[in-house]
């Protein structure tokens, strides 16, 4: 049986004999007549995973008072999730290819819900950190299974464009939604509901997934690459752990640079091994396609620039403008709306006509301009005149980046590689976010300390030092997106991608 990328089993192509508008179901995908309901189920699951990266940030002060852990330990509530999620995503994607996407999707939902309930009931700091690590582990199963289900369910190019526009908007806006939802739950209920709320999302997604998705194992199951799995999982763990340590240790500390060096070395060995393994965890054919490789880099760079900005703009709104947690979340909604709008327009109308080359670089440029604009914020800035315009600009740009990159990162991939290709999307964004947050935190802290040298620690001086730290983070975020502009402009092929027009794709 032909399982090459230009066969009918390629995710993102439609058999020539299929009538226009037909969406063919592949093993592990969904019934084509229910594909839009499947999109809703997948969207709920993806939203749950993405918003969990930020929703707990709002709840941290309340959880710290309740459980009595120190300022030095509180970062582990966030880091435990990032470590497990980032290091296990590729394994989770391959498990979906091996076992079947429906089974892995449902197992991820059940495990994520159970971990959330465990965390919400935590009576000690250790319980909360363990729950967050379990959330990350099951999220690493859930996220790539969800995206690969989307890839194998929507095969008609026009419908695929709509589906990925919506999915890309959810993935990009989930962090801002987490800030809003976390603020509402913390202010009006209790910090524990920032974890318990996942049970509501999970129940809806589980019921929908059981009803709508096809079961069964894939017909062409790849074998598990054990050495590759160990190398990449430990390597990514060391990278994320090293950058997380940079927030509380100096860059010269062995716990920072040591883990980064070991992690980088293991990833280099992993890349070498994948060219020689009989059944590679991440087949070279998945990442060497120019459009797909550019999409992974776009997700990495935008993750690095975006996650940190959510953090620093949240600090600015609450500490400088004295916004409540709820009002802080509401302040991000215009950005979310622009992200959704540009995502849908990009994938429905622009990508099929223009291709990714003008869209993703333009999105990077708009995001860079928005970040640079934010550097002008001061104690006298108002939301309508000074905060919202750069948020709107950044939202439009990020919508172009996320929707286009997510679409092309999985288009044209053989069905038996859909899980690991989807995992690479999440891995790129998650590792990029971890690196970006650590770097921006370190740079912002240094900027604040440098400003205070030789000055009395008056309230005015401390406020100005905070503003200097935020501006430094925004400038570096702008630089990240500027690099993304150059990289994507060079790498993306001109013209509409063949993988989205139904033509054969050879890798």
């Amino acid at each position: 049986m032909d399982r090459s990328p230009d066969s009918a089993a390629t995710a993102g192509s439609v058999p020539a004999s299929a009538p226009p508008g037909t969406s063919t179901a592949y093993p592990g995908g969904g019934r084509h007549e229910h594909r839009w309901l499947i999109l809703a189920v997948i969207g709920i699951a993806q939203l749950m995973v993405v918003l969990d990266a930020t929703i707990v940030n709002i709840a941290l002060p309340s959880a710290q008072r309740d459980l009595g852990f120190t300022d030095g330990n509180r970062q582990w509530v966030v880091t435990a999730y990032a470590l497990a999620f980032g290091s296990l995503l590729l394994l989770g994607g391959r498990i979906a290819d091996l076992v079947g996407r429906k089974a892995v999707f449902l197992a991820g939902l059940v495990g994520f819900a159970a971990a959330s309930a465990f965390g919400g009931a935590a009576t000690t700091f250790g319980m909360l950190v363990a729950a967050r690590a379990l959330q990350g582990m099951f999220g690493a199963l859930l996220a790539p299974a969800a995206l690969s289900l989307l890839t194998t369910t929507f095969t008609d190019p026009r419908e695929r464009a709509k589906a990925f526009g919506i999915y890309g908007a959810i993935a990009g806006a989930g962090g801002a939604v987490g800030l809003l939802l976390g603020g509402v739950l913390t202010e009006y209920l209790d910090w524990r509901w920032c974890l318990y709320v996942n049970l509501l999302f999970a129940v809806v997604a589980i019921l929908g997934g059981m009803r709508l998705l096809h079961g069964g194992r894939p017909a062409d199951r790849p074998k598990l690459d054990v050495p590759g799995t160990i190398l990449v999982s430990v390597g990514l763990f060391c990278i994320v752990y090293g950058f997380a340590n940079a927030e509380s240790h100096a860059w010269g500390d062995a716990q920072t640079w040591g883990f980064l060096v070991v992690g980088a070395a293991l990833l280099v060995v992993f890349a070498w091994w994948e060219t020689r393994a009989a059944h590679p965890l991440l087949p070279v054919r998945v990442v060497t396609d120019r459009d797909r490789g550019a999409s992974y880099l776009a997700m990495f760079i935008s993750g690095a620039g975006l996650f940190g900005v959510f953090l620093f703009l949240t600090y600015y709104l609450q500490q400088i403008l004295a916004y409540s947690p709820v009002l802080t979340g509401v302040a991000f909604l215009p950005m979310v709306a622009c992200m959704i709008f540009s995502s849908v327009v990009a994938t429905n109308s622009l990508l099929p006509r223009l291709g990714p080359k003008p869209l993703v670089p333009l999105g990077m440029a708009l995001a860079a301009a928005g970040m640079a604009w934010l550097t002008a914020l001061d104690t006298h800035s108002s939301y309508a005149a000074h905060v919202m315009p750069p948020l709107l600009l950044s939202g439009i740009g990020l919508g172009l980046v996320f929707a286009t990159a997510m679409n092309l990162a999985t288009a044209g991939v053989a069905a038996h590689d859909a899980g690991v290709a989807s995992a690479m999307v999440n891995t790129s964004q998650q590792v990029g976010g971890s690196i970006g947050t650590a770097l921006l935190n370190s740079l912002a802290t240094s900027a604040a300390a440098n400003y205070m040298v030789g000055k009395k620690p008056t309230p005015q001086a401390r406020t100005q030092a905070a503003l200097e730290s935020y501006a430094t983070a925004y400038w570096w975020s702008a630089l990240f997106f500027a690099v993304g502009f150059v990289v994507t402009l060079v790498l993306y092929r001109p013209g509409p991608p063949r993988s989205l027009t139904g033509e054969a794709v050879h890798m």
Side-chain angles (χ1 to χ4, degrees):
M1 181 178 179
D2 181 13
R3 305 294 295 181
S4 62
D6 54 329
S7 71
T10 301
S13 62
V14 182
S17 59
T22 299
S23 179
T24 305
Y26 294 112
R31 302 184 181 93
H32 64 82
E33 67 269 20
H34 297 308
R35 57 195 176 277
W36 297 108
L37 290 176
I38 291 172
L39 174 61
V41 170
I42 294 171
I44 290 170
Q46 176 66 11
L47 178 63
M48 182 178 69
V49 172
V50 174
L51 68 80
D52 227 72
T54 56
I55 191 172
V56 174
N57 289 351
I58 298 292
L60 262 181
S62 298
Q64 186 174 356
R65 287 192 300 270
D66 195 5
L67 300 181
F69 51 89
T70 65
D71 288 349
N73 283 334
R74 67 183 177 188
Q75 67 156 323
W76 290 107
V77 178
V78 177
T79 303
Y81 180 86
L83 283 172
F85 189 60
S87 61
L88 296 175
L89 272 165
L90 281 175
L91 175 59
R94 199 41 130 189
I95 289 174
D97 292 331
L98 283 164
V99 177
R101 295 177 189 101
K102 176 179 179 178
V104 173
F105 180 77
L106 293 176
L109 283 169
V110 172
F112 201 95
S116 299
F118 181 59
T123 56
T124 66
F125 172 70
M127 282 182 64
L128 181 59
V129 171
R132 291 288 287 163
L134 286 171
Q135 280 185 313
M137 184 180 73
F138 285 106
L141 286 176
L142 179 57
L147 184 54
S148 58
L149 280 167
L150 186 69
T151 300
T152 53
T153 297
F154 287 90
T155 54
D156 175 72
R158 289 167 296 182
E159 291 190 346
R160 179 186 172 90
K162 295 177 183 178
F164 271 84
I166 296 169
Y167 186 86
I170 292 172
V177 174
L179 294 173
L180 172 60
L181 188 57
V184 171
L185 294 173
T186 302
E187 191 164 326
Y188 294 110
L189 290 174
D190 184 79
W191 69 267
R192 297 178 184 277
W193 278 97
C194 290
L195 294 161
Y196 287 143
V197 70
N198 290 323
L199 297 173
L200 302 178
F201 289 119
V203 167
V204 174
I206 289 169
L207 293 176
M210 291 176 64
R211 170 68 178 86
L212 299 171
L213 300 175
H214 279 307
R217 294 180 177 181
D220 185 15
R221 294 169 50 195
K223 295 181 179 179
L224 184 61
D225 171 19
V226 177
T229 298
I230 295 172
L231 285 168
V232 75
S233 297
V234 178
L236 288 172
F237 179 92
C238 290
I239 291 287
V240 175
Y241 186 83
F243 277 104
N245 265 335
E247 298 182 45
S248 56
H249 298 76
W251 286 98
D253 192 300
Q255 292 191 60
T256 301
W257 67 262
F259 276 98
L260 293 177
V261 169
V262 171
L266 288 173
L267 292 183
V268 169
V269 175
F270 168 73
W272 168 82
W273 171 255
E274 294 306 278
T275 64
R276 288 157 175 77
H279 304 282
L281 176 69
L282 179 61
V284 175
R285 61 181 177 270
V286 172
V287 295
T288 52
D289 176 81
R290 275 182 60 181
D291 286 344
R292 194 171 301 119
S295 297
Y296 293 143
L297 286 173
M299 294 300 297
F300 175 85
I301 293 168
S302 55
L306 179 62
F307 278 62
V309 169
F310 276 150
L311 179 65
F312 290 102
L313 193 55
T314 297
Y315 283 143
Y316 171 79
L317 292 172
Q318 292 193 16
Q319 295 182 357
I320 306 299
L321 299 188
Y323 280 24
S324 68
V326 173
L327 196 56
T328 299
V330 171
F332 283 99
L333 290 183
M335 180 184 184
V336 173
C338 285
M339 212 179 284
I340 294 172
F341 173 78
S342 63
S343 293
V344 174
V345 171
T347 51
N348 284 343
S349 303
L350 302 179
L351 182 59
R353 295 188 180 94
L354 304 176
K357 198 172 186 70
L359 297 183
V360 179
L362 174 61
M364 291 287 187
L366 292 175
M371 296 301 105
W373 195 344
L374 286 173
T375 62
L377 296 178
D378 58 28
T379 55
H380 303 293
S381 298
S382 67
Y383 176 77
H386 304 101
V387 178
M388 187 167 70
L391 281 182
L392 296 177
L393 187 65
S394 299
I396 292 172
L398 290 167
L400 294 176
V401 173
F402 281 123
T404 306
M406 282 194 164
N407 198 335
L408 287 180
T410 55
V413 179
H416 55 274
D417 287 333
V420 73
S422 302
M424 270 297 294
V425 177
N426 292 283
T427 301
S428 300
Q429 186 181 21
Q430 178 65 30
V431 174
S434 298
I435 291 174
T437 300
L439 282 175
L440 294 177
N441 262 330
S442 178
L443 293 164
T445 301
S446 296
N450 291 337
Y451 179 84
M452 291 300 295
V453 172
K455 296 182 176 67
K456 293 182 179 180
T458 62
Q460 293 80 4
R462 291 184 182 278
T463 297
Q464 191 58 41
L467 289 172
E468 290 291 328
S469 71
Y470 304 155
T472 299
Y474 302 147
W475 276 125
W476 278 93
S477 292
L479 178 61
F480 292 162
F481 286 116
V483 170
F485 168 80
V486 175
V487 168
T488 55
L489 187 65
V490 171
L491 288 183
Y492 274 119
R493 296 187 183 98
R498 290 173 298 166
S499 56
L500 299 181
T501 59
E503 296 181 31
V505 181
H506 299 272
M507 294 187 287

